[in-house]
Amino acid sequence: MSLNPPLAWQGALWERLVSEYGQNRLPHALLLSGAAHIGKKHFAFAVAHRLLCHCESTLYACGTCKGCLLNEAQTHPDLAILEPNDAGKKVIGIGEVRELINVLSKTSQQGGWKVAVIAPVENLTISGANALLKTLEEPPGKILMLLVSHELGRVPATIRSRCQRYMFPLPNASEVLPWLAQNGVALDKAAQVLKVARGRPLLAADYLKESLLDRVAQFDQWVDDVASGQLSPVSAAQKCHNADALEQIDWFVQYIHRMVCLNVETCCSPENFIFYDKLHKARGWIVSGANANKQLIWEELFFDWHTLARGLAKAQSAS
Ligand SMILES: [Zn+2]
């Protein structure tokens, strides 16, 4: 965890925070909500590090005082962080919430703020969320809780109503592209990847690291080959089986979208929309994590796609 300032597109929200801080109007809990991969957690840590920095005159954490050095080493005793752990456990349970409350209720060891980051807050179990309510209602002393949410609808109303909301909009490409291009990436490539990442800058940055465009091209080729009969649906499903299914379903949706845009007359058929709907349903099964058999899901999708593509080819040759 390095002490980075807020991201290039977060200037307005940072100004709001600085203004509230300057007027002593900073609440005890902020709910940072918006789409995933746009930098809300980054912002939360930028706020936490600024509050725990001992330097009064800098806009961001100074990076050199004792508070900053403790944060740099990830050992600041007045910063409590709750995240799903690396072992694949997605929920944040009551035991972890109680530990956090315990840290917040003690006297600040560095004599200033005590800060908590919970990301994402929708991953709290019901009992975990309930355990947090009392601290949100009666905060013990000078504390700030930063609750990050990618899916606000999943955050209990009892928590939402006790926090001040900071909404993070999807940033404008004009603010994101120079940031994406800062490591020597060409602007047109950055724009292409940002589009594939549906405007989410941190996802686009990950994609750039992983040569995403090559992987998308490979996936599109499999879809083309299933359509033409050169690749069987079962073989295509096997190729997809071990990769990130959600990512690939997004690419399939984009493939269909491009196809419809290119051939509006023949592609605006009910069958096409039914298939589009199936892709979204498949996405839902995978997101639900209910032991979905990915191989079977992909086989069914590719069988349906092969049938649909043959029908479209016939319609196009007849028109
Ligand atoms: Zn500092």
Side-chain angles (χ1 to χ4, degrees):
M1 186 196 311
S2 55
L3 305 188
N4 292 324
L7 293 160
W9 51 91
Q10 295 175 332
L13 285 166
W14 189 261
E15 273 176 31
R16 174 179 159 190
L17 181 110
V18 169
S19 163
E20 287 176 349
Y21 177 78
Q23 297 169 48
N24 247 343
R25 287 193 298 112
L26 206 55
H28 57 270
L30 297 179
L31 181 55
L32 314 181
S33 70
H37 307 294
I38 60 172
K40 301 182 301 298
K41 192 164 85 173
H42 180 105
F43 186 90
F45 279 109
V47 174
H49 294 159
R50 178 64 208 101
L51 287 183
L52 297 170
C53 170
H54 299 174
C55 185
E56 290 287 327
S57 58
T58 56
L59 184 57
Y60 312 120
C62 75
T64 54
C65 71
K66 188 176 178 193
C68 286
L69 294 179
L70 284 167
N71 272 324
E72 187 84 53
Q74 300 183 35
T75 54
H76 202 299
D78 298 325
L79 174 60
I81 303 164
L82 273 194
E83 293 179 284
N85 65 27
D86 293 336
K89 188 182 164 212
K90 285 191 175 170
V91 295
I92 304 171
I94 187 167
E96 291 147 293
V97 173
R98 282 187 179 142
E99 277 176 34
L100 175 114
I101 293 170
N102 191 32
V103 172
L104 292 178
S105 57
K106 286 180 185 159
T107 311
S108 160
Q109 292 196 32
Q110 290 292 310
W113 287 82
K114 295 184 74 72
V115 185
V117 176
I118 304 180
V121 66
E122 53 265 26
N123 285 30
L124 287 173
T125 59
I126 293 174
S127 54
N130 286 337
L132 194 65
L133 288 181
K134 188 165 181 297
T135 309
L136 285 171
E137 265 173 9
E138 298 167 21
K142 196 175 169 184
I143 71 165
L144 179 66
M145 281 182 275
L146 296 148
L147 312 184
V148 174
S149 171
H150 315 310
E151 294 176 72
L152 201 54
R154 287 179 54 211
V155 180
T158 45
I159 287 196
R160 289 203 304 264
S161 63
R162 286 166 174 80
C163 302
Q164 185 176 313
R165 187 103 41 100
Y166 270 43
M167 298 284 289
F168 285 66
L170 212 54
N172 290 325
S174 60
E175 293 172 299
V176 173
L177 290 179
W179 178 80
L180 278 177
Q182 64 192 340
N183 293 324
V185 176
L187 271 178
D188 57 344
K189 186 175 181 187
Q192 207 180 346
V193 172
L194 186 62
K195 205 170 171 187
V196 176
R198 289 183 290 158
R200 293 167 292 174
L202 303 195
L203 188 60
D206 282 349
Y207 283 169
L208 280 168
K209 279 184 220 148
E210 302 165 1
S211 6
L212 166 97
L213 294 179
D214 294 343
R215 292 197 291 122
V216 176
Q218 173 71 81
F219 181 81
D220 286 355
Q221 187 62 51
W222 296 337
V223 176
D224 283 343
D225 289 348
V226 170
S228 66
Q230 287 173 275
L231 183 67
S232 77
V234 173
S235 302
Q238 280 164 352
K239 287 178 185 295
C240 292
H241 183 61
N242 289 324
D244 182 333
L246 289 181
E247 189 175 77
Q248 291 184 325
I249 285 182
D250 281 349
W251 298 345
F252 214 154
V253 168
Q254 285 168 23
Y255 181 101
I256 301 294
H257 181 72
R258 280 197 307 274
M259 185 182 80
V260 171
C261 291
L262 285 172
N263 304 289
V264 175
E265 282 182 18
T266 44
C267 291
C268 274
S269 62
E271 292 81 5
N272 214 337
F273 289 109
I274 290 169
F275 185 68
Y276 200 75
D277 193 42
K278 276 187 180 163
L279 285 172
H280 282 284
K281 278 191 183 134
R283 194 174 202 289
W285 290 329
I286 291 162
V287 168
S288 75
N291 291 327
N293 184 329
K294 286 187 199 162
Q295 174 72 22
L296 281 181
I297 290 174
W298 278 117
E299 281 180 19
E300 194 176 325
L301 285 174
F302 279 123
F303 270 115
D304 288 352
W305 163 240
H306 178 66
T307 308
L308 173 65
R310 273 198 316 186
L312 288 173
K314 267 187 202 163
Q316 272 169 0
S317 62
S319 64

